[in-house]
Amino acid sequence: MSKKARKVDTVTLIDNRTGKQIELDLLQSTSGPMTIDIRSLYKKLGYFTYDPGFMSTASCWSDITYLDGEEGVLEYRGYPIEQLAEKSTFLETSYLLLHGELPTQSQLDEFVSNITYHTMLHEQLLRFYSGFRRDGHPMAIMVGVVGALSAFYHDDEDIHNPEDRMNAAHRLVAKMPTIAAWSYRYAMGLPFIYPDNSLDYSANFLHMMFAMPSEKYDVNPLLAKALDVILILHADHEQNASTSTVRLAGSSQANPFAVLASGIASLWGPAHGGANEAVIRMLTEINESGKPLSHFIERAKDKNDRFRLMGFGHRVYKNYDPRAKIIRKICHDMLAQGACTDPSHQKLLDTAMELEQVALSDDYFKSRNLYPNVDFYSGIIFLGMGIPLNMFTVLFAVGRSVGWVAQWNEMMGDSESKIGRPRQLYTGSPRREYKPIDKRISQD
Ligand code: CMC
């Protein structure tokens, strides 16, 4: 248990069935609600708790990221996301997430040099790409290639050694842009472009995505800066589905790269990181349908229709997602500065803003506190950068990798950390005797 979580009181639980009374510790977090420590509940009362989807359950302690969904607050290591987005860089923020403090200049220089040192992929890894279908989704390729890193970095790595864990973190942060860009290059039948370590992190990614060996390619600094901010905004988000997946997979002490591949797989779904791709598909459908926005709003409200407003709603934010506010502004700035020339992007932004306005004044969305989330505007920026639709979630994964590995490292460094092993509320058949096949009656 983190030393920062203090016991401040107890909570009394009375079993109405038996009259038995037990005390459970009440823990004070640094910020946010108090938390009842129920670890001894089963021992004391013989009961489990039931909380599918973790609506009220803290699955772990963490010093990394704090978010207040009611107020729309997000902080990494105590620093507000708005300040980091404005003043920091993705690599500086990565250092903060991994080490707990902002770096001094010499610490940052050393960190950047460590990351830069690891940007290349093992040449053998290149062959993995050709095993995929050309039209395979880049997220599928990324799951495979990141998982395959475990075959290259395994026996000589000790996950109980903090230095080795940090080395794995550096490797991951460094290699993700290369793996991501090459997923795209492979799908397009384009030659792989090797990292250029004279460029900064985000510029290097754009270079590997769009440069040609035969021509000089200058990275647009406006786009590189916008991408860097977007990576900062995606860098961590406490115990979301993919991070919890990483913690659970890592709790068995598995290889970190295999563990991170599980996080990427979890991120892919449209209820999570896949929403940025789904938003653009939805906005395009709206624009091409010729139907009024009210038609789509009504569909989103209809419980018999699976259609939802993608990029809207969040498990924790019951207010405007602070990341969405920043992304919305970048989107406007990029279009205003003429960074994207395709008029269809402006049309998508217009539709998105109109949709936001209509939804936010509708009782259904108001009463459920459904606001735009991080994915609502990010896709329009990606399109403006020339990034194809199926690469959007890949970019989310590039940004989130540092959060995953920081959370994994925190868990592995906790001497009390245990294998994650939830219990269940069993609702199947009670015990029964095996019946020979000739005695069975069909249940159909
Ligand atoms: N459109 C229409 N109705 C919605 C939406 C939406 N986007 N989101 C939630 N609702 C309704 C839902 O039907 C439910 O209504 P009721 O109370 O009448 O049954 C209520 O709001 C609560 O929704 P929920 O599904 O119980 O909430 P949840 O916390 O389990 O799900 C969510 C959160 C993000 C999965 C959901 O809001 C959603 O599916 N949003 C669209 C997908 C999306 O944008 N995902 C990205 C999330 S942010 C980035 C990330 O995590 O990767």
Side-chain angles (χ1 to χ4, degrees), residues 116 118-127 129 174-175 177-179 181-182 185 190-201 203-214 217 219:
T116 307
H118 288 297
T119 50
M120 295 281 288
L121 300 186
H122 194 293
E123 280 291 304
Q124 292 277 105
L125 206 59
L126 256 68
R127 305 206 189 137
Y129 284 87
K175 292 181 196 307
T178 315
I179 293 172
W182 288 8
R185 304 290 298 201
L190 295 169
F192 293 145
I193 299 290
Y194 284 85
D196 176 347
N197 289 343
S198 68
L199 296 172
D200 67 31
Y201 194 83
N204 192 24
F205 172 75
L206 293 173
H207 161 78
M208 288 188 285
M209 280 286 289
F210 300 120
M212 284 293 171
S214 47
Y217 176 79
V219 177

mmCIF file of all heavy atoms in Angstrom, residues 116 118-127 129 174-175 177-179 181-182 185 190-201 203-214 217 219:
data_model
loop_
_atom_site.group_PDB
_atom_site.id
_atom_site.type_symbol
_atom_site.label_atom_id
_atom_site.label_comp_id
_atom_site.label_asym_id
_atom_site.label_seq_id
_atom_site.Cartn_x
_atom_site.Cartn_y
_atom_site.Cartn_z
ATOM 1 N N THR A 116 16.423 8.420 -27.786
ATOM 2 C CA THR A 116 16.926 8.495 -29.157
ATOM 3 C C THR A 116 17.764 7.259 -29.503
ATOM 4 O O THR A 116 17.687 6.730 -30.607
ATOM 5 C CB THR A 116 17.788 9.774 -29.295
ATOM 6 O OG1 THR A 116 17.008 10.861 -28.835
ATOM 7 C CG2 THR A 116 18.198 10.022 -30.720
ATOM 8 N N HIS A 118 17.336 4.319 -28.662
ATOM 9 C CA HIS A 118 16.556 3.084 -28.849
ATOM 10 C C HIS A 118 15.510 3.166 -29.964
ATOM 11 O O HIS A 118 14.646 2.293 -30.044
ATOM 12 C CB HIS A 118 15.841 2.733 -27.539
ATOM 13 C CG HIS A 118 16.744 2.234 -26.459
ATOM 14 N ND1 HIS A 118 17.465 1.074 -26.560
ATOM 15 C CD2 HIS A 118 17.047 2.741 -25.243
ATOM 16 C CE1 HIS A 118 18.169 0.886 -25.454
ATOM 17 N NE2 HIS A 118 17.931 1.886 -24.638
ATOM 18 N N THR A 119 15.549 4.189 -30.815
ATOM 19 C CA THR A 119 14.449 4.348 -31.784
ATOM 20 C C THR A 119 14.437 3.294 -32.900
ATOM 21 O O THR A 119 13.404 3.058 -33.524
ATOM 22 C CB THR A 119 14.492 5.747 -32.449
ATOM 23 O OG1 THR A 119 15.824 5.958 -32.921
ATOM 24 C CG2 THR A 119 14.109 6.844 -31.481
ATOM 25 N N MET A 120 15.591 2.687 -33.153
ATOM 26 C CA MET A 120 15.657 1.678 -34.227
ATOM 27 C C MET A 120 15.002 0.367 -33.789
ATOM 28 O O MET A 120 14.950 0.060 -32.604
ATOM 29 C CB MET A 120 17.126 1.376 -34.557
ATOM 30 C CG MET A 120 17.890 2.534 -35.131
ATOM 31 S SD MET A 120 17.547 2.786 -36.874
ATOM 32 C CE MET A 120 18.385 1.399 -37.586
ATOM 33 N N LEU A 121 14.545 -0.405 -34.769
ATOM 34 C CA LEU A 121 14.042 -1.752 -34.473
ATOM 35 C C LEU A 121 15.098 -2.764 -34.912
ATOM 36 O O LEU A 121 15.841 -2.514 -35.866
ATOM 37 C CB LEU A 121 12.751 -2.031 -35.231
ATOM 38 C CG LEU A 121 11.557 -1.111 -34.958
ATOM 39 C CD1 LEU A 121 10.322 -1.636 -35.696
ATOM 40 C CD2 LEU A 121 11.263 -1.015 -33.479
ATOM 41 N N HIS A 122 15.138 -3.893 -34.248
ATOM 42 C CA HIS A 122 16.013 -4.996 -34.655
ATOM 43 C C HIS A 122 15.652 -5.363 -36.104
ATOM 44 O O HIS A 122 14.460 -5.465 -36.433
ATOM 45 C CB HIS A 122 15.757 -6.174 -33.711
ATOM 46 C CG HIS A 122 16.774 -7.246 -33.774
ATOM 47 N ND1 HIS A 122 16.955 -8.035 -34.883
ATOM 48 C CD2 HIS A 122 17.680 -7.676 -32.858
ATOM 49 C CE1 HIS A 122 17.918 -8.903 -34.657
ATOM 50 N NE2 HIS A 122 18.382 -8.702 -33.427
ATOM 51 N N GLU A 123 16.639 -5.559 -36.942
ATOM 52 C CA GLU A 123 16.361 -5.828 -38.368
ATOM 53 C C GLU A 123 15.472 -7.071 -38.563
ATOM 54 O O GLU A 123 14.668 -7.130 -39.488
ATOM 55 C CB GLU A 123 17.665 -6.008 -39.149
ATOM 56 C CG GLU A 123 18.360 -4.707 -39.523
ATOM 57 C CD GLU A 123 17.606 -3.886 -40.579
ATOM 58 O OE1 GLU A 123 17.333 -4.415 -41.669
ATOM 59 O OE2 GLU A 123 17.290 -2.716 -40.283
ATOM 60 N N GLN A 124 15.620 -8.041 -37.662
ATOM 61 C CA GLN A 124 14.791 -9.256 -37.773
ATOM 62 C C GLN A 124 13.306 -8.932 -37.634
ATOM 63 O O GLN A 124 12.464 -9.636 -38.168
ATOM 64 C CB GLN A 124 15.144 -10.231 -36.640
ATOM 65 C CG GLN A 124 16.517 -10.827 -36.744
ATOM 66 C CD GLN A 124 16.490 -12.012 -37.684
ATOM 67 O OE1 GLN A 124 16.967 -11.895 -38.807
ATOM 68 N NE2 GLN A 124 15.927 -13.109 -37.270
ATOM 69 N N LEU A 125 13.046 -7.860 -36.871
ATOM 70 C CA LEU A 125 11.660 -7.501 -36.587
ATOM 71 C C LEU A 125 10.951 -7.007 -37.858
ATOM 72 O O LEU A 125 9.729 -7.122 -37.984
ATOM 73 C CB LEU A 125 11.641 -6.412 -35.504
ATOM 74 C CG LEU A 125 10.406 -6.308 -34.625
ATOM 75 C CD1 LEU A 125 10.149 -7.599 -33.864
ATOM 76 C CD2 LEU A 125 10.567 -5.178 -33.623
ATOM 77 N N LEU A 126 11.739 -6.510 -38.791
ATOM 78 C CA LEU A 126 11.179 -6.021 -40.056
ATOM 79 C C LEU A 126 10.377 -7.111 -40.762
ATOM 80 O O LEU A 126 9.379 -6.855 -41.416
ATOM 81 C CB LEU A 126 12.318 -5.605 -40.980
ATOM 82 C CG LEU A 126 12.568 -4.120 -41.138
ATOM 83 C CD1 LEU A 126 13.103 -3.553 -39.832
ATOM 84 C CD2 LEU A 126 13.578 -3.895 -42.243
ATOM 85 N N ARG A 127 10.865 -8.349 -40.615
ATOM 86 C CA ARG A 127 10.233 -9.459 -41.341
ATOM 87 C C ARG A 127 8.844 -9.755 -40.808
ATOM 88 O O ARG A 127 8.037 -10.378 -41.486
ATOM 89 C CB ARG A 127 11.089 -10.709 -41.229
ATOM 90 C CG ARG A 127 12.494 -10.445 -41.705
ATOM 91 C CD ARG A 127 13.156 -11.696 -42.194
ATOM 92 N NE ARG A 127 14.557 -11.398 -42.417
ATOM 93 C CZ ARG A 127 15.544 -12.172 -42.076
ATOM 94 N NH1 ARG A 127 15.293 -13.333 -41.521
ATOM 95 N NH2 ARG A 127 16.779 -11.827 -42.315
ATOM 96 N N TYR A 129 6.551 -7.683 -40.346
ATOM 97 C CA TYR A 129 5.558 -6.904 -41.087
ATOM 98 C C TYR A 129 5.057 -7.661 -42.305
ATOM 99 O O TYR A 129 3.868 -7.667 -42.606
ATOM 100 C CB TYR A 129 6.150 -5.558 -41.509
ATOM 101 C CG TYR A 129 6.242 -4.577 -40.353
ATOM 102 C CD1 TYR A 129 7.348 -4.549 -39.518
ATOM 103 C CD2 TYR A 129 5.199 -3.692 -40.090
ATOM 104 C CE1 TYR A 129 7.426 -3.669 -38.449
ATOM 105 C CE2 TYR A 129 5.261 -2.798 -39.022
ATOM 106 C CZ TYR A 129 6.382 -2.800 -38.212
ATOM 107 O OH TYR A 129 6.436 -1.924 -37.152
ATOM 108 N N ALA A 174 10.666 4.743 -27.087
ATOM 109 C CA ALA A 174 11.484 5.039 -28.269
ATOM 110 C C ALA A 174 10.990 4.325 -29.519
ATOM 111 O O ALA A 174 10.974 4.894 -30.617
ATOM 112 C CB ALA A 174 12.926 4.640 -27.997
ATOM 113 N N LYS A 175 10.561 3.084 -29.367
ATOM 114 C CA LYS A 175 10.257 2.268 -30.550
ATOM 115 C C LYS A 175 8.816 2.421 -31.040
ATOM 116 O O LYS A 175 8.515 2.082 -32.183
ATOM 117 C CB LYS A 175 10.543 0.784 -30.256
ATOM 118 C CG LYS A 175 12.037 0.520 -30.075
ATOM 119 C CD LYS A 175 12.328 -0.945 -29.803
ATOM 120 C CE LYS A 175 13.720 -1.153 -29.252
ATOM 121 N NZ LYS A 175 14.816 -0.574 -30.033
ATOM 122 N N PRO A 177 6.902 5.003 -31.980
ATOM 123 C CA PRO A 177 6.681 5.758 -33.220
ATOM 124 C C PRO A 177 7.185 4.999 -34.452
ATOM 125 O O PRO A 177 6.558 5.033 -35.519
ATOM 126 C CB PRO A 177 7.483 7.044 -33.017
ATOM 127 C CG PRO A 177 7.643 7.173 -31.545
ATOM 128 C CD PRO A 177 7.714 5.772 -31.010
ATOM 129 N N THR A 178 8.300 4.311 -34.299
ATOM 130 C CA THR A 178 8.853 3.567 -35.444
ATOM 131 C C THR A 178 7.892 2.434 -35.820
ATOM 132 O O THR A 178 7.543 2.264 -37.000
ATOM 133 C CB THR A 178 10.246 2.986 -35.071
ATOM 134 O OG1 THR A 178 11.000 3.985 -34.407
ATOM 135 C CG2 THR A 178 10.979 2.494 -36.297
ATOM 136 N N ILE A 179 7.448 1.685 -34.807
ATOM 137 C CA ILE A 179 6.524 0.567 -35.066
ATOM 138 C C ILE A 179 5.235 1.099 -35.700
ATOM 139 O O ILE A 179 4.711 0.531 -36.667
ATOM 140 C CB ILE A 179 6.207 -0.185 -33.748
ATOM 141 C CG1 ILE A 179 7.468 -0.885 -33.239
ATOM 142 C CG2 ILE A 179 5.072 -1.177 -33.939
ATOM 143 C CD1 ILE A 179 7.335 -1.499 -31.853
ATOM 144 N N ALA A 181 4.664 4.033 -37.368
ATOM 145 C CA ALA A 181 4.836 4.574 -38.731
ATOM 146 C C ALA A 181 5.020 3.431 -39.731
ATOM 147 O O ALA A 181 4.482 3.466 -40.851
ATOM 148 C CB ALA A 181 6.033 5.514 -38.762
ATOM 149 N N TRP A 182 5.732 2.403 -39.323
ATOM 150 C CA TRP A 182 5.987 1.295 -40.252
ATOM 151 C C TRP A 182 4.727 0.457 -40.513
ATOM 152 O O TRP A 182 4.615 -0.172 -41.566
ATOM 153 C CB TRP A 182 7.140 0.434 -39.741
ATOM 154 C CG TRP A 182 8.472 1.137 -39.881
ATOM 155 C CD1 TRP A 182 8.676 2.444 -40.250
ATOM 156 C CD2 TRP A 182 9.767 0.588 -39.666
ATOM 157 N NE1 TRP A 182 10.012 2.737 -40.254
ATOM 158 C CE2 TRP A 182 10.712 1.617 -39.904
ATOM 159 C CE3 TRP A 182 10.235 -0.665 -39.280
ATOM 160 C CZ2 TRP A 182 12.078 1.428 -39.789
ATOM 161 C CZ3 TRP A 182 11.609 -0.862 -39.161
ATOM 162 C CH2 TRP A 182 12.524 0.178 -39.417
ATOM 163 N N ARG A 185 3.387 2.390 -43.346
ATOM 164 C CA ARG A 185 4.203 2.253 -44.567
ATOM 165 C C ARG A 185 3.981 0.880 -45.204
ATOM 166 O O ARG A 185 3.902 0.744 -46.416
ATOM 167 C CB ARG A 185 5.700 2.418 -44.248
ATOM 168 C CG ARG A 185 6.097 3.683 -43.556
ATOM 169 C CD ARG A 185 6.013 4.908 -44.392
ATOM 170 N NE ARG A 185 6.874 4.908 -45.545
ATOM 171 C CZ ARG A 185 7.252 6.031 -46.191
ATOM 172 N NH1 ARG A 185 6.834 7.214 -45.759
ATOM 173 N NH2 ARG A 185 8.005 5.976 -47.253
ATOM 174 N N LEU A 190 4.846 1.183 -49.039
ATOM 175 C CA LEU A 190 5.928 2.172 -49.127
ATOM 176 C C LEU A 190 7.168 1.662 -48.380
ATOM 177 O O LEU A 190 7.035 0.896 -47.419
ATOM 178 C CB LEU A 190 5.480 3.493 -48.485
ATOM 179 C CG LEU A 190 4.317 4.204 -49.183
ATOM 180 C CD1 LEU A 190 3.788 5.335 -48.302
ATOM 181 C CD2 LEU A 190 4.779 4.751 -50.530
ATOM 182 N N PRO A 191 8.354 2.107 -48.794
ATOM 183 C CA PRO A 191 9.565 1.653 -48.086
ATOM 184 C C PRO A 191 9.585 2.184 -46.654
ATOM 185 O O PRO A 191 9.101 3.287 -46.397
ATOM 186 C CB PRO A 191 10.709 2.266 -48.896
ATOM 187 C CG PRO A 191 10.086 3.404 -49.629
ATOM 188 C CD PRO A 191 8.654 3.041 -49.871
ATOM 189 N N PHE A 192 10.136 1.385 -45.749
ATOM 190 C CA PHE A 192 10.263 1.844 -44.369
ATOM 191 C C PHE A 192 11.285 2.981 -44.309
ATOM 192 O O PHE A 192 12.348 2.897 -44.934
ATOM 193 C CB PHE A 192 10.748 0.713 -43.456
ATOM 194 C CG PHE A 192 9.742 -0.403 -43.299
ATOM 195 C CD1 PHE A 192 10.159 -1.720 -43.171
ATOM 196 C CD2 PHE A 192 8.377 -0.142 -43.256
ATOM 197 C CE1 PHE A 192 9.241 -2.760 -43.002
ATOM 198 C CE2 PHE A 192 7.451 -1.166 -43.087
ATOM 199 C CZ PHE A 192 7.883 -2.479 -42.968
ATOM 200 N N ILE A 193 10.941 4.011 -43.566
ATOM 201 C CA ILE A 193 11.876 5.126 -43.365
ATOM 202 C C ILE A 193 12.449 4.991 -41.954
ATOM 203 O O ILE A 193 11.703 4.929 -40.981
ATOM 204 C CB ILE A 193 11.143 6.492 -43.506
ATOM 205 C CG1 ILE A 193 10.544 6.636 -44.907
ATOM 206 C CG2 ILE A 193 12.068 7.660 -43.168
ATOM 207 C CD1 ILE A 193 11.539 6.824 -46.026
ATOM 208 N N TYR A 194 13.767 4.950 -41.860
ATOM 209 C CA TYR A 194 14.412 4.786 -40.558
ATOM 210 C C TYR A 194 14.319 6.078 -39.749
ATOM 211 O O TYR A 194 14.192 7.160 -40.315
ATOM 212 C CB TYR A 194 15.869 4.363 -40.748
ATOM 213 C CG TYR A 194 15.978 2.905 -41.139
ATOM 214 C CD1 TYR A 194 15.860 2.506 -42.461
ATOM 215 C CD2 TYR A 194 16.164 1.929 -40.164
ATOM 216 C CE1 TYR A 194 15.920 1.168 -42.814
ATOM 217 C CE2 TYR A 194 16.225 0.581 -40.511
ATOM 218 C CZ TYR A 194 16.102 0.212 -41.837
ATOM 219 O OH TYR A 194 16.148 -1.109 -42.173
ATOM 220 N N PRO A 195 14.378 5.945 -38.421
ATOM 221 C CA PRO A 195 14.300 7.149 -37.590
ATOM 222 C C PRO A 195 15.431 8.130 -37.898
ATOM 223 O O PRO A 195 16.534 7.708 -38.246
ATOM 224 C CB PRO A 195 14.460 6.614 -36.163
ATOM 225 C CG PRO A 195 14.331 5.138 -36.235
ATOM 226 C CD PRO A 195 14.553 4.717 -37.633
ATOM 227 N N ASP A 196 15.124 9.407 -37.775
ATOM 228 C CA ASP A 196 16.153 10.443 -37.907
ATOM 229 C C ASP A 196 16.300 11.066 -36.520
ATOM 230 O O ASP A 196 15.457 11.851 -36.089
ATOM 231 C CB ASP A 196 15.704 11.488 -38.937
ATOM 232 C CG ASP A 196 16.690 12.640 -39.044
ATOM 233 O OD1 ASP A 196 17.577 12.748 -38.168
ATOM 234 O OD2 ASP A 196 16.562 13.447 -39.988
ATOM 235 N N ASN A 197 17.366 10.690 -35.829
ATOM 236 C CA ASN A 197 17.516 11.095 -34.430
ATOM 237 C C ASN A 197 17.882 12.562 -34.245
ATOM 238 O O ASN A 197 17.994 13.038 -33.120
ATOM 239 C CB ASN A 197 18.521 10.194 -33.716
ATOM 240 C CG ASN A 197 17.934 8.797 -33.511
ATOM 241 O OD1 ASN A 197 16.729 8.620 -33.609
ATOM 242 N ND2 ASN A 197 18.786 7.823 -33.240
ATOM 243 N N SER A 198 18.054 13.288 -35.375
ATOM 244 C CA SER A 198 18.287 14.731 -35.213
ATOM 245 C C SER A 198 16.959 15.455 -35.011
ATOM 246 O O SER A 198 16.924 16.623 -34.646
ATOM 247 C CB SER A 198 19.013 15.292 -36.435
ATOM 248 O OG SER A 198 18.137 15.242 -37.557
ATOM 249 N N LEU A 199 15.854 14.754 -35.275
ATOM 250 C CA LEU A 199 14.526 15.378 -35.120
ATOM 251 C C LEU A 199 13.979 15.096 -33.728
ATOM 252 O O LEU A 199 14.350 14.099 -33.100
ATOM 253 C CB LEU A 199 13.563 14.795 -36.165
ATOM 254 C CG LEU A 199 13.906 15.067 -37.623
ATOM 255 C CD1 LEU A 199 12.981 14.269 -38.534
ATOM 256 C CD2 LEU A 199 13.801 16.551 -37.934
ATOM 257 N N ASP A 200 13.062 15.954 -33.284
ATOM 258 C CA ASP A 200 12.472 15.642 -31.988
ATOM 259 C C ASP A 200 11.424 14.543 -32.172
ATOM 260 O O ASP A 200 11.113 14.110 -33.291
ATOM 261 C CB ASP A 200 11.937 16.895 -31.279
ATOM 262 C CG ASP A 200 10.748 17.509 -31.979
ATOM 263 O OD1 ASP A 200 9.975 16.758 -32.609
ATOM 264 O OD2 ASP A 200 10.581 18.735 -31.907
ATOM 265 N N TYR A 201 10.868 14.095 -31.041
ATOM 266 C CA TYR A 201 10.038 12.878 -31.024
ATOM 267 C C TYR A 201 8.903 12.913 -32.053
ATOM 268 O O TYR A 201 8.760 11.997 -32.875
ATOM 269 C CB TYR A 201 9.481 12.726 -29.606
ATOM 270 C CG TYR A 201 8.875 11.386 -29.302
ATOM 271 C CD1 TYR A 201 9.670 10.310 -28.931
ATOM 272 C CD2 TYR A 201 7.504 11.204 -29.355
ATOM 273 C CE1 TYR A 201 9.114 9.078 -28.621
ATOM 274 C CE2 TYR A 201 6.936 9.977 -29.046
ATOM 275 C CZ TYR A 201 7.746 8.919 -28.675
ATOM 276 O OH TYR A 201 7.193 7.702 -28.371
ATOM 277 N N ALA A 203 8.284 15.164 -34.522
ATOM 278 C CA ALA A 203 8.741 15.446 -35.896
ATOM 279 C C ALA A 203 9.295 14.159 -36.520
ATOM 280 O O ALA A 203 9.066 13.871 -37.705
ATOM 281 C CB ALA A 203 9.801 16.532 -35.876
ATOM 282 N N ASN A 204 9.998 13.383 -35.721
ATOM 283 C CA ASN A 204 10.571 12.126 -36.218
ATOM 284 C C ASN A 204 9.463 11.165 -36.665
ATOM 285 O O ASN A 204 9.578 10.485 -37.686
ATOM 286 C CB ASN A 204 11.428 11.497 -35.119
ATOM 287 C CG ASN A 204 12.270 10.356 -35.640
ATOM 288 O OD1 ASN A 204 12.567 10.293 -36.838
ATOM 289 N ND2 ASN A 204 12.634 9.443 -34.767
ATOM 290 N N PHE A 205 8.367 11.132 -35.888
ATOM 291 C CA PHE A 205 7.246 10.267 -36.276
ATOM 292 C C PHE A 205 6.697 10.708 -37.632
ATOM 293 O O PHE A 205 6.483 9.876 -38.533
ATOM 294 C CB PHE A 205 6.134 10.293 -35.213
ATOM 295 C CG PHE A 205 4.908 9.566 -35.668
ATOM 296 C CD1 PHE A 205 4.883 8.182 -35.690
ATOM 297 C CD2 PHE A 205 3.786 10.263 -36.117
ATOM 298 C CE1 PHE A 205 3.750 7.489 -36.152
ATOM 299 C CE2 PHE A 205 2.663 9.589 -36.572
ATOM 300 C CZ PHE A 205 2.646 8.208 -36.583
ATOM 301 N N LEU A 206 6.463 12.017 -37.804
ATOM 302 C CA LEU A 206 5.906 12.507 -39.078
ATOM 303 C C LEU A 206 6.873 12.214 -40.230
ATOM 304 O O LEU A 206 6.452 11.863 -41.338
ATOM 305 C CB LEU A 206 5.599 14.013 -38.983
ATOM 306 C CG LEU A 206 4.465 14.379 -38.011
ATOM 307 C CD1 LEU A 206 4.342 15.893 -37.864
ATOM 308 C CD2 LEU A 206 3.131 13.781 -38.466
ATOM 309 N N HIS A 207 8.168 12.332 -39.930
ATOM 310 C CA HIS A 207 9.193 12.017 -40.936
ATOM 311 C C HIS A 207 9.090 10.539 -41.363
ATOM 312 O O HIS A 207 9.074 10.221 -42.553
ATOM 313 C CB HIS A 207 10.566 12.337 -40.324
ATOM 314 C CG HIS A 207 11.731 11.695 -40.994
ATOM 315 N ND1 HIS A 207 12.260 12.173 -42.167
ATOM 316 C CD2 HIS A 207 12.474 10.606 -40.647
ATOM 317 C CE1 HIS A 207 13.279 11.404 -42.523
ATOM 318 N NE2 HIS A 207 13.424 10.447 -41.621
ATOM 319 N N MET A 208 8.965 9.648 -40.386
ATOM 320 C CA MET A 208 8.900 8.205 -40.724
ATOM 321 C C MET A 208 7.589 7.867 -41.436
ATOM 322 O O MET A 208 7.513 6.927 -42.198
ATOM 323 C CB MET A 208 9.054 7.355 -39.459
ATOM 324 C CG MET A 208 10.457 7.379 -38.909
ATOM 325 S SD MET A 208 10.666 6.201 -37.561
ATOM 326 C CE MET A 208 9.835 7.016 -36.224
ATOM 327 N N MET A 209 6.546 8.647 -41.167
ATOM 328 C CA MET A 209 5.252 8.422 -41.833
ATOM 329 C C MET A 209 5.296 8.867 -43.291
ATOM 330 O O MET A 209 4.796 8.190 -44.182
ATOM 331 C CB MET A 209 4.146 9.240 -41.138
ATOM 332 C CG MET A 209 3.593 8.667 -39.881
ATOM 333 S SD MET A 209 2.502 7.251 -40.154
ATOM 334 C CE MET A 209 1.042 7.989 -40.873
ATOM 335 N N PHE A 210 5.864 10.069 -43.526
ATOM 336 C CA PHE A 210 5.621 10.713 -44.818
ATOM 337 C C PHE A 210 6.840 10.936 -45.713
ATOM 338 O O PHE A 210 6.672 11.293 -46.876
ATOM 339 C CB PHE A 210 4.918 12.070 -44.586
ATOM 340 C CG PHE A 210 3.599 11.918 -43.872
ATOM 341 C CD1 PHE A 210 3.364 12.533 -42.651
ATOM 342 C CD2 PHE A 210 2.589 11.127 -44.408
ATOM 343 C CE1 PHE A 210 2.150 12.376 -41.981
ATOM 344 C CE2 PHE A 210 1.377 10.965 -43.746
ATOM 345 C CZ PHE A 210 1.158 11.588 -42.533
ATOM 346 N N ALA A 211 8.052 10.756 -45.208
ATOM 347 C CA ALA A 211 9.221 11.020 -46.059
ATOM 348 C C ALA A 211 9.367 9.937 -47.124
ATOM 349 O O ALA A 211 8.824 8.837 -46.988
ATOM 350 C CB ALA A 211 10.471 11.084 -45.199
ATOM 351 N N MET A 212 10.076 10.286 -48.189
ATOM 352 C CA MET A 212 10.400 9.320 -49.250
ATOM 353 C C MET A 212 11.927 9.281 -49.373
ATOM 354 O O MET A 212 12.567 10.320 -49.299
ATOM 355 C CB MET A 212 9.824 9.782 -50.594
ATOM 356 C CG MET A 212 8.348 9.565 -50.705
ATOM 357 S SD MET A 212 8.005 7.803 -50.728
ATOM 358 C CE MET A 212 6.245 7.865 -50.588
ATOM 359 N N PRO A 213 12.472 8.072 -49.597
ATOM 360 C CA PRO A 213 13.943 8.006 -49.700
ATOM 361 C C PRO A 213 14.453 8.852 -50.864
ATOM 362 O O PRO A 213 15.579 9.327 -50.856
ATOM 363 C CB PRO A 213 14.224 6.524 -49.947
ATOM 364 C CG PRO A 213 12.947 5.798 -49.708
ATOM 365 C CD PRO A 213 11.836 6.777 -49.761
ATOM 366 N N SER A 214 13.599 9.070 -51.864
ATOM 367 C CA SER A 214 14.047 9.741 -53.084
ATOM 368 C C SER A 214 13.942 11.266 -53.022
ATOM 369 O O SER A 214 14.395 11.958 -53.924
ATOM 370 C CB SER A 214 13.200 9.233 -54.247
ATOM 371 O OG SER A 214 11.829 9.261 -53.862
ATOM 372 N N TYR A 217 12.352 15.737 -47.347
ATOM 373 C CA TYR A 217 11.057 15.962 -46.686
ATOM 374 C C TYR A 217 11.266 16.875 -45.481
ATOM 375 O O TYR A 217 12.080 16.573 -44.603
ATOM 376 C CB TYR A 217 10.445 14.632 -46.230
ATOM 377 C CG TYR A 217 9.161 14.801 -45.452
ATOM 378 C CD1 TYR A 217 7.957 15.053 -46.106
ATOM 379 C CD2 TYR A 217 9.147 14.736 -44.054
ATOM 380 C CE1 TYR A 217 6.782 15.232 -45.383
ATOM 381 C CE2 TYR A 217 7.968 14.908 -43.341
ATOM 382 C CZ TYR A 217 6.792 15.152 -44.005
ATOM 383 O OH TYR A 217 5.628 15.331 -43.301
ATOM 384 N N VAL A 219 9.599 18.457 -42.230
ATOM 385 C CA VAL A 219 8.447 18.319 -41.334
ATOM 386 C C VAL A 219 7.873 19.707 -41.065
ATOM 387 O O VAL A 219 8.618 20.649 -40.788
ATOM 388 C CB VAL A 219 8.884 17.667 -40.004
ATOM 389 C CG1 VAL A 219 7.710 17.583 -39.042
ATOM 390 C CG2 VAL A 219 9.478 16.295 -40.246
#
